[in-house]
Amino acid sequence: MFLISLSAALICLIAFTTSNTANALNNGVAKLPVLGYNTWNAYQCNIDEGLILQTAQLMKSLGLQASGYEFVNIDDCWAEKNRTAAGDIIEDQVRFKSGMKWLNQQIHALGFKTGIYSDSGWFTCAGYPGSYSNELRDAQTFADMGFDYLKYDNCAIPYDSITREGEVGRYQRMSDALAQVGKSVGRNFVFSLCEWGWTQVWMWGAQLGHSWRTTGDISTQWESLTAIINFNSFLTQATNFYGRNDMDMVRNIFSGNGGLTFEEAKSHFTAWALMKSPLLIGTNLSAITPEILGILKNQEILAINQDPVIGTSVSPFRWGINADWTSNDTHPAQFWSGQAQSGTVFMLLNTLDVPSTMSFNLTESPFIRAGRQYSVRDLWTHTDNGTAVRNFTAENVPPHGIVALLLKDAGDEPAGLYPACSVWFQCTDKNGTNVGG
């Protein structure tokens, strides 16, 4: 655990705010976070054309497409182990015997878009051909196959004496290739940088792609989620329209499968959605439970993630258990807020192993106006919970659970409240007299 100085953190946040908005890769696609499916977490290398097509059909029949999930993305292990004599990367001739072009036609006909995977090194992380030195050739191949999206990984990096450049340069090569091919075919790619955050990708990723991984791979353990939330709590200003922190896939696996509890799965989905991460499902859809499906289809949470007016993430306004600006992988910030087109979003995360009552002053959020009262909408119970005046308290938040609220301005607060200010120790009369409690 370490403490980041407030002044240094504020400088970083200002830099993120100004640079990300100005340099975002606005090429007409991925203005909002991508919603879809990725094969890796559920199947790893055990994929074939039948499974991919079945997954697309399930996304449609389960109502995920109607909820906004529009991408079906194939991860590693899809190719032959060697390129052709002409140097082309091709699909596995047994597992994808009908060809990727055919498969894309079938999935596009269902109303989806499709994604493929490659790597900025010699090989992918599973040992299949990478795209280093073949960027333009492979970008053209992916376009010819009919793909709309490319996830680009960071394994098997060539020697420094070969690249003479860092990760920015290697990702720039594919970003330029995708732009060139996109211009020729009249269809721009969504470009996802799976770079793991080792060279402060949140500082430069928006210039090259639409999302960038900020951490290593997610697991199905609570400690993995809290570590990712903690790390990203210091990077929230890097996210906006056309470019965002990617917190890795949504692994909503809970009790009975050796993974998350139901409350943890809700916290996982809520934090990812409200922090405006891409939402790529990594669950076996043929075995999905109604409970998990309900989490993934929460329209009020998805509406915040897909807000067409506000592209920024929620950010912490108070850390809670720890002093503000404390980095703690097991107990990250607990009190968050952000703007939405229809109000102010609040996220309360209970990182304790026991139920907790969580309270805050409304004006701790920079988006709340003093002297006003606010109607409260619970985005998980889907209920209107009265009006908040100055403060709000969530009773008995479950262990590792979450509360997501949308507060809307409901007019002036009642007259005659004492003290005259919600933050009493700052309350001063115009003659200089302190009139606090």
Side-chain angles (χ1 to χ4, degrees):
M1 186 173 74
F2 58 90
L3 188 65
I4 298 177
S5 73
L6 182 59
S7 60
L10 287 176
I11 290 171
C12 290
L13 292 180
I14 292 169
F16 290 154
T17 302
T18 56
S19 64
N20 185 64
T21 303
N23 298 323
L25 180 62
N26 179 359
N27 62 355
V29 296
K31 176 182 178 180
L32 303 176
V34 165
L35 304 183
Y37 187 91
N38 182 283
T39 59
W40 184 256
N41 282 340
Y43 303 107
Q44 297 189 345
C45 288
N46 299 312
I47 57 174
D48 58 35
E49 61 186 39
L51 174 68
I52 307 303
L53 187 55
Q54 179 192 41
T55 297
Q57 293 166 340
L58 282 168
M59 289 179 70
K60 196 175 185 76
S61 64
L62 291 170
L64 289 166
Q65 184 185 60
S67 295
Y69 294 89
E70 62 173 346
F71 279 85
V72 180
N73 294 346
I74 301 171
D75 210 283
D76 208 346
C77 310
W78 61 271
E80 284 286 334
K81 282 284 186 139
N82 297 294
R83 291 177 178 269
T84 67
D88 294 324
I89 189 171
I90 59 171
E91 59 272 88
D92 185 292
Q93 298 296 286
V94 174
R95 291 183 290 119
F96 294 92
K97 62 180 182 293
S98 302
M100 286 296 187
K101 187 172 184 179
W102 174 87
L103 181 58
N104 275 316
Q105 289 171 343
Q106 305 309 305
I107 297 175
H108 286 150
L110 291 171
F112 292 100
K113 297 176 182 177
T114 56
I116 196 62
Y117 168 97
S118 191
D119 191 280
S120 63
W122 296 125
F123 304 99
T124 69
C125 297
Y128 291 78
S131 290
Y132 184 77
S133 78
N134 284 286
E135 290 85 2
L136 187 58
R137 177 192 293 269
D138 289 355
Q140 187 64 59
T141 296
F142 300 148
D144 292 342
M145 288 175 168
F147 287 104
D148 309 286
Y149 172 114
L150 175 63
K151 174 183 174 181
Y152 207 50
D153 221 328
N154 193 35
C155 288
I157 300 168
Y159 296 152
D160 293 350
S161 59
I162 295 173
T163 64
R164 304 291 183 187
E165 61 191 359
E167 288 174 342
V168 177
R170 288 188 293 107
Y171 279 83
Q172 182 77 61
R173 292 164 67 111
M174 181 53 85
S175 181
D176 291 345
L178 292 174
Q180 182 176 334
V181 171
K183 185 176 182 180
S184 69
V185 301
R187 185 179 79 253
N188 288 320
F189 286 84
V190 178
F191 189 30
S192 173
L193 285 59
C194 188
E195 189 273 351
W196 322 326
W198 285 4
T199 57
Q200 296 181 315
V201 64
W202 52 91
M203 298 292 284
W204 54 266
Q207 303 170 44
L208 307 182
H210 302 100
S211 62
W212 42 87
R213 279 278 297 279
T214 53
T215 63
D217 290 353
I218 192 173
S219 78
T220 57
Q221 302 304 310
W222 172 247
E223 292 75 16
S224 175
L225 304 186
T226 58
I228 292 172
I229 292 169
N230 173 64
F231 193 84
N232 281 273
S233 69
F234 297 99
L235 312 176
T236 58
Q237 307 313 98
T239 284
N240 211 325
F241 291 134
Y242 297 106
R244 55 201 53 88
N245 296 324
D246 180 355
M247 299 164 67
D248 202 8
M249 287 168 271
V250 179
R251 299 194 70 170
N252 279 313
I253 302 172
F254 65 101
S255 54
N257 293 309
L260 306 177
T261 67
F262 178 68
E263 292 297 335
E264 289 170 346
K266 283 173 57 180
S267 296
H268 175 16
F269 180 76
T270 304
W272 265 235
L274 301 190
M275 294 173 77
K276 302 294 179 74
S277 177
L279 300 177
L280 293 171
I281 300 168
T283 297
N284 179 347
L285 294 183
S286 64
I288 196 168
T289 65
E291 293 85 358
I292 286 298
L293 195 59
I295 290 174
L296 296 172
K297 292 168 65 175
N298 185 328
Q299 289 301 299
E300 295 194 71
I301 298 291
L302 289 170
I304 305 299
N305 181 264
Q306 296 291 296
D307 193 321
V309 176
I310 304 294
T312 51
S313 164
V314 293
S315 297
F317 61 82
R318 175 155 46 96
W319 262 247
I321 291 175
N322 297 299
D324 290 350
W325 303 103
T326 300
S327 177
N328 187 321
D329 278 353
T330 57
H331 294 88
Q334 295 182 283
F335 296 86
W336 305 62
S337 70
Q339 294 174 290
Q341 64 172 326
S342 54
T344 301
V345 182
F346 284 84
M347 182 174 83
L348 313 180
L349 177 66
N350 180 15
T351 63
L352 298 175
D353 298 332
V354 295
S356 178
T357 295
M358 305 180 70
S359 300
F360 61 93
N361 185 304
L362 299 187
T363 57
E364 287 185 80
S365 167
F367 310 113
I368 290 292
R369 296 169 59 192
R372 308 286 286 181
Q373 58 186 337
Y374 287 82
S375 64
V376 180
R377 176 72 176 179
D378 189 308
L379 303 182
W380 275 110
T381 62
H382 308 296
T383 56
D384 295 319
N385 292 357
T387 302
V389 179
R390 295 194 174 182
N391 299 285
F392 183 86
T393 298
E395 303 281 355
N396 296 316
V397 181
H400 303 175
I402 205 159
V403 174
L405 307 169
L406 181 64
L407 270 61
K408 297 183 180 181
D409 193 304
D412 289 336
E413 66 181 22
L417 294 181
Y418 183 84
C421 304
S422 60
V423 184
W424 64 266
F425 55 83
Q426 293 179 340
C427 205
T428 306
D429 190 85
K430 63 183 178 181
N431 65 12
T433 304
N434 183 282
V435 293

